Amino acid sequence: MLEEILEDPDFPGLEEVIIGSWGDPAQEDCQALLDGIVEHADRFAHITSLFVGDMDFEECEVSWIIQGNYSRLWQAMPQLKSLTIKGSTDLDLGEIAHENLENLTIICGGLGSDVMAQIKEAKLPRLKKLLLYIGVDNYGFDGNADTIREMLEGSDFPNLTYLGIVDSEIQDELTEVALQSKYIRQITTLDLSCGTLTDKGGQLLLEQVPGLPNLEKLDVHYHYLSDELMGKLEQLSLEVDVSEQEEADDWNGKLWYNAMLTE
């Protein structure tokens, strides 16, 4: 695949590379691709946006995607502004240090605490957007609300304007974490979408968002809010996305709430 990318006559004029399935991503990692990019760093010097793992469930379930070690990529691609990674199995970000990265997105069914610890220590002075799919414990998430709280409080992203803590089965707890984070008065977009947000978390937003004039957008699409809470949030004086209202599953009298992306 790397050879095909390099031999493509359109490649020298591109700014973005999106890599989908590398064959059998549930059995083989993408390390050869990552190493190839590093080894041909001069050939990739014009690429400012990289997405590794763009595939749907028909190609490979997100929790099955075997990722790789990105520790050498940071130095090899100093011009990179956006990095999106899909899949968290065997994901290793290494020691993150990059002067120009503005967007870091990790899409997965479960984000490990080891990766969050690496993000906590990241040196990304120009980072504007951090979007993390937290996922569920069955597919890789091995922490709790305190894990995310410690990651946010220990990190240092002075230019962050978009905070996305999404796709969690503890979305109400993470809503409180996000609202208490040190970034809440500097960001313009708060993304708490794709998780199990209920009226408990919705009420916290209703009470605290009006006191945050810096916020321009609140994204909670895919949620379990009541019609009443949805209506109240929509009346707030900022852009609010409350689309994709879900209903809990009733199984033997117990209600089950599911995050959007898990397996």
Side-chain angles (χ1 to χ4, degrees):
M1 184 184 285
L2 183 72
E3 291 176 358
E4 292 177 357
I5 292 172
L6 292 173
E7 292 173 0
D8 191 315
D10 293 328
F11 178 63
L14 302 179
E15 295 181 355
E16 180 178 20
V17 170
I18 300 174
I19 298 173
S21 174
W22 41 86
D24 189 357
Q27 299 294 328
E28 184 180 6
D29 62 34
C30 62
Q31 197 61 50
L33 278 166
L34 298 177
D35 291 345
I37 292 173
V38 171
E39 291 163 10
H40 295 86
D42 58 328
R43 302 281 302 278
F44 282 85
H46 58 293
I47 299 300
T48 59
S49 179
L50 179 64
F51 186 162
V52 182
D54 183 20
M55 59 192 91
D56 61 25
F57 70 93
E58 293 179 342
E59 294 174 287
C60 186
E61 298 283 4
V62 67
S63 63
W64 300 359
I65 299 172
I66 303 177
Q67 269 290 334
N69 188 316
Y70 286 72
S71 58
R72 297 170 63 206
L73 194 74
W74 308 112
Q75 185 174 354
M77 300 187 75
Q79 79 289 351
L80 199 64
K81 292 184 177 180
S82 177
L83 176 63
T84 300
I85 298 169
K86 190 170 185 178
S88 60
T89 300
D90 293 343
L91 175 62
D92 186 351
L93 297 179
E95 187 175 330
I96 306 169
H98 199 285
E99 290 296 321
N100 295 307
L101 196 75
E102 297 180 357
N103 171 23
L104 177 60
T105 296
I106 302 178
I107 304 167
C108 62
L111 192 61
S113 57
D114 55 341
V115 177
M116 284 187 269
Q118 292 173 330
I119 295 171
K120 174 185 173 183
E121 301 298 328
K123 296 177 176 60
L124 299 172
R126 296 192 181 181
L127 191 70
K128 296 179 180 179
K129 179 178 180 178
L130 180 65
L131 176 56
L132 302 176
Y133 282 60
I134 303 303
V136 300
D137 55 9
N138 285 341
Y139 296 106
F141 176 56
D142 57 356
N144 53 34
D146 286 337
T147 310
I148 287 83
R149 180 180 288 107
E150 291 168 6
M151 176 190 66
L152 293 177
E153 292 309 304
S155 63
D156 183 18
F157 306 132
N159 288 300
L160 197 71
T161 58
Y162 184 118
L163 176 61
I165 304 295
V166 309
D167 191 53
S168 170
E169 61 184 354
I170 55 170
Q171 202 67 45
D172 286 338
E173 294 179 57
L174 298 191
T175 295
E176 182 176 4
V177 168
L179 288 170
Q180 293 176 349
S181 80
K182 65 183 182 182
Y183 298 112
I184 196 62
R185 296 191 178 277
Q186 77 179 55
I187 58 174
T188 58
T189 298
L190 177 61
D191 187 349
L192 299 166
S193 63
C194 304
T196 59
L197 184 71
T198 69
D199 282 7
K200 180 180 179 180
Q203 186 62 38
L204 287 175
L205 291 169
L206 193 62
E207 293 170 357
Q208 297 188 36
V209 166
L212 300 169
N214 51 294
L215 276 185
E216 298 173 1
K217 182 174 181 178
L218 172 64
D219 187 351
V220 294
H221 80 271
Y222 188 101
H223 58 82
Y224 292 85
L225 296 170
S226 65
D227 291 343
E228 181 181 1
L229 250 296
M230 285 174 58
K232 290 180 178 179
L233 288 174
E234 286 181 311
Q235 293 175 14
L236 295 175
S237 57
L238 74 164
E239 181 183 352
V240 179
D241 185 351
V242 289
S243 60
E244 298 183 57
Q245 182 187 34
E246 303 293 315
E247 291 187 8
D249 295 325
D250 190 338
W251 183 259
N252 292 332
K254 183 178 180 179
L255 296 178
W256 294 86
Y257 300 84
N258 300 301
M260 185 190 73
L261 187 67
T262 53
E263 184 180 11

